[in-house]
Amino acid sequence: MNKLPLLEARLSSATGIDTNICAVFQDSAKKAISPKGAYSPAVEKLRKAGAFDAKHGAIQFLRFFDSGSSKVADNALLIGMGPSAELTEEKSRLAGGTVWAKLNAEKCKEVSVEVDSFVAASGIKEADRARLMRAFAEGLVLSAYQFNKYKTKSEAKSEGKLGLKSEKGNNPPGPSQIVFVTQDKNLKSQLELELIQVTAIGEAVGVTRDWSNEPSNYGTPVYYANEAKRLAKQYGLKCKILTEQDAEREKMGLFLGVGQGAERESRIVVLEYSPKGVKNPKTVALVGKGVTFDSGGISIKPSMKMEDMKHDMTGAATVMGAMLLASSWEVPNRVVAVMAFCENMPDGNAIQPGNVLTSRSGKTVEIINTDAEGRLVLADVLDYAQDLKPDAIVDVATLTGAVSIALGKHCCGILGNDEALISAVRRAGEANGERIWELPLYDEYFDDLKSDYADMKNSANDSLGGTIRGAVFLKQFIRKGSMWAHLDIAATAWNLGHLSYYPKRGASGAYVRTLAQFIANF
Ligand code: BES
Ligand code: ZN
Ligand code: ZN
């Protein structure tokens, strides 16, 4: 991850700013409304020329703009926000992403945001102001991410040709400082708090994306265990690592079975966050699938896009990000995170279709397809997590290709055994522009997983209802009285470039904010 921009709130314009960002709204006739102040004549001219209608996401960069006596910066960036009555937090976040891309392309370094141009528009409620600006800041910070670790000559490291303040050396891409300027004292203090939380988002989501993007020759189970240990220390979390020997003692036959064909050893990471000064806090357990590479095993996958299977540990990466974010925010609930890392490889020692494995819970599983490995890994760690007596369990996994057939890329799937828990997770998602859709989990779906040789099989003979079958398999390991929900993020974990604040390609980091907020509100 590159360095994130510094975020700051101020009451008066800052010096040394190269670009000032001004919001422009539309009237009911969908025409740009001239903003108060220096940019009014420019907007007027642009509107008359038909060059800028201020529809949501429209953008105009005015280089070396001379605003006369009230000059704030050399350049102005006008961002269209559409009609103010239609502005939502997600639209504000998307505008932040669009603005970042332009600032980056124009090599702007020190920028200010004219907060009052965003919030003074009629139609925006006073109570919504801070949240709308926070979402805009989120859009900026989430867009600042780049993964250049393995590029020997990246854009980030080259000299900016158009840069106003370009220097030779290791300049991170995009602005290094963003100052939010408002005349409203109250709003300024609210923003100060919001911006601290937004910076924590940038860092936590950055970890999730870094982990997910890491190629599997570097990103091995041991690598993630070490990274988790390092980050746990940095964030003040308790951390326990289970080796294969420990997993054997725990009788995790399904988890160990998946890693059996791999040269690289498996690891389980258990993290714990406890809120300070809260008596008897509630506990949320987050459980993540961390398959560092899913070749399919003996039921090997076709080679087309197999490289994407380095992302098959994104469930664990999302759990890690959510854990870090929840702890940065100092949420009032306890969190335990259990992340199971292993590699699914074909080998002389790999599990084979027809094999029967015994789970930690004691239930036996006939392996039909070694590519349905995520559910095997999760079954044992879900059982382990329940021993920790959490009040709710949420697991996160790139579990099935079928979830992209069912839901596409505009939401992830949720299934579980408790409607209140599912609603709470979905609400947290909605509040963060991260949509979640529930699929049914009728017991009859388990009929397809009945085995002639064991208590169940890990896959059926056809591909109907794949996401539900994955979840109904997991459900066999959920004890009576445990509140559980399962997020299938296989379609949304990477390549979400249709949203301006996600990278065009590679890990999205989606649902980290959702999960942290769910924990905060639990
Ligand atoms: N890791 C995959 C799921 C996946 C596929 C994630 C494509 C992202 C993109 C998982 O382990 C898997 O292979 N699932 C199988 C299950 C099947 C064999 C029952 C699938 O979805 O095809
Ligand atoms: Zn698989
Ligand atoms: Zn997998």
Side-chain angles (χ1 to χ4, degrees):
M1 182 186 6
N2 46 289
K3 222 173 139 199
L4 292 174
L6 281 175
L7 305 180
E8 211 187 308
R10 278 198 213 163
L11 279 173
S12 56
S13 10
T15 51
I17 296 296
D18 59 59
T19 306
N20 190 31
I21 301 156
C22 177
V24 185
F25 287 90
Q26 281 184 318
D27 60 20
S28 51
K30 306 266 165 168
K31 294 234 166 71
I33 304 170
S34 287
K36 286 199 186 104
Y39 304 123
S40 173
V43 172
E44 201 93 330
K45 249 188 184 172
L46 286 163
R47 187 185 58 206
K48 281 191 186 138
F52 184 65
D53 60 0
K55 76 163 186 271
H56 179 256
I59 206 152
Q60 271 290 330
F61 187 70
L62 312 173
R63 188 174 279 285
F64 304 124
F65 174 77
D66 186 2
S67 57
S69 55
S70 60
K71 187 165 172 168
V72 276
D74 268 343
N75 311 316
L77 199 158
L78 307 177
I79 173 74
M81 300 298 281
S84 59
E86 289 173 23
L87 187 62
T88 60
E89 281 177 49
E90 179 60 1
K91 279 190 178 173
S92 191
R93 199 175 285 115
L94 288 165
T98 307
V99 163
W100 180 275
K102 190 69 181 165
L103 292 170
N104 189 19
E106 300 291 350
K107 307 259 191 308
C108 306
K109 287 289 162 213
E110 316 271 330
V111 310
S112 63
V113 179
E114 234 175 65
V115 170
D116 298 339
S117 71
F118 284 79
V119 300
S122 64
I124 291 182
K125 292 195 205 102
E126 183 146 2
D128 294 339
R129 293 172 166 197
R131 280 189 296 114
L132 286 168
M133 287 320 294
R134 175 212 171 104
F136 184 74
E138 280 181 19
L140 289 167
V141 164
L142 287 169
S143 307
Y145 178 85
Q146 291 213 336
F147 188 78
N148 288 328
K149 198 170 171 187
Y150 298 107
K151 286 189 174 169
T152 56
K153 201 166 176 278
S154 71
E155 214 180 291
K157 288 170 187 164
S158 68
E159 192 181 352
K161 285 200 184 72
L162 295 167
L164 296 159
K165 288 189 181 166
S166 64
E167 287 160 17
K168 270 194 180 166
N170 203 350
N171 273 346
S176 52
Q177 194 190 15
I178 304 169
V179 186
F180 288 75
V181 181
T182 172
Q183 311 289 329
D184 184 324
K185 268 192 191 156
N186 199 8
L187 182 56
K188 184 228 166 203
S189 6
Q190 278 176 286
L191 276 181
E192 263 167 358
L193 299 177
E194 299 285 5
L195 294 179
I196 291 169
Q197 293 209 350
V198 171
T199 297
I201 288 176
E203 277 159 4
V205 173
V207 168
T208 299
R209 288 170 173 174
D210 275 353
W211 278 26
S212 178
N213 285 328
E214 191 67 43
S216 55
N217 55 328
Y218 295 97
T220 63
V222 169
Y223 169 86
Y224 293 113
N226 288 337
E227 278 298 285
K229 215 194 281 177
R230 183 179 66 77
L231 288 161
K233 204 167 164 201
Q234 193 183 318
Y235 281 74
L237 307 169
K238 270 198 210 155
C239 175
K240 189 162 105 181
I241 313 276
L242 275 66
T243 62
E244 287 190 354
Q245 252 185 356
D246 297 322
E248 260 159 43
R249 240 173 272 131
E250 292 283 345
K251 299 195 170 8
M252 294 178 163
L254 303 186
F255 168 69
L256 286 166
V258 173
Q260 205 175 286
E263 204 56 48
R264 299 173 176 120
E265 275 202 33
S266 308
R267 289 289 183 273
I268 292 170
V269 178
V270 186
L271 298 177
E272 186 188 324
Y273 160 83
S274 291
K276 287 193 192 91
V278 183
K279 266 190 204 151
N280 305 319
K282 285 197 251 172
T283 301
V284 174
L286 297 179
V287 173
K289 168 181 174 182
V291 174
T292 57
F293 186 75
D294 182 10
S295 69
I298 296 298
S299 318
I300 199 160
K301 286 181 181 293
S303 38
M304 180 77 110
K305 288 204 179 173
M306 210 209 262
E307 69 275 17
D308 283 346
M309 284 302 117
K310 70 169 184 177
H311 294 296
D312 207 24
M313 32 57 64
T314 309
T318 306
V319 164
M320 186 66 189
M323 181 69 163
L324 297 180
L325 188 51
S327 91
S328 292
W329 288 353
E330 300 181 349
V331 300
N333 297 303
R334 193 171 156 264
V335 192
V336 289
V338 186
M339 298 172 277
F341 294 102
C342 61
E343 213 180 51
N344 187 20
M345 293 292 282
D347 176 78
N349 195 40
I351 52 167
Q352 299 151 338
N355 286 180
V356 174
L357 304 178
T358 304
S359 67
R360 185 180 190 269
S361 74
K363 290 186 175 170
T364 55
V365 178
E366 181 195 0
I367 306 302
I368 298 298
N369 191 321
T370 64
D371 197 12
E373 86 298 340
R375 61 199 70 185
L376 300 174
V377 168
L378 286 177
D380 276 346
V381 280
L382 280 169
D383 190 65
Y384 178 91
Q386 286 168 95
D387 280 0
L388 307 173
K389 302 267 177 280
D391 297 288
I393 309 175
V394 180
D395 79 68
V396 191
T398 49
L399 205 71
T400 65
V403 79
S404 20
I405 310 290
L407 299 175
K409 278 185 168 284
H410 298 291
C411 60
C412 78
I414 192 167
L415 306 95
N417 65 0
D418 188 278
E419 276 315 308
L421 175 63
I422 288 172
S423 309
V425 177
R426 291 191 64 208
R427 265 199 313 274
E430 206 58 49
N432 283 285
E434 299 183 320
R435 293 174 174 141
I436 303 172
W437 200 256
E438 187 182 0
L439 295 173
L441 197 51
Y442 303 122
D443 284 333
E444 285 78 2
Y445 284 102
F446 183 63
D447 294 348
D448 307 325
L449 296 180
K450 285 190 175 142
S451 161
D452 295 327
Y453 301 100
D455 296 339
M456 68 193 88
K457 47 191 188 183
N458 77 330
S459 150
N461 303 320
D462 59 48
S463 57
L464 303 181
T467 303
I468 301 173
R469 281 178 181 166
V472 87
F473 179 91
L474 298 179
K475 198 178 173 196
Q476 308 312 307
F477 300 89
I478 302 299
R479 300 171 200 164
K480 229 179 157 183
S482 294
M483 251 164 89
W484 160 74
H486 157 68
L487 286 188
D488 194 332
I489 58 162
T492 48
W494 62 91
N495 297 357
L496 283 194
H498 58 279
L499 295 173
S500 63
Y501 52 84
Y502 286 130
K504 282 267 166 301
R505 302 192 50 76
S508 64
Y511 303 103
V512 168
R513 288 174 293 133
T514 293
L515 287 168
Q517 187 166 334
F518 157 73
I519 296 165
N521 298 346
F522 185 69

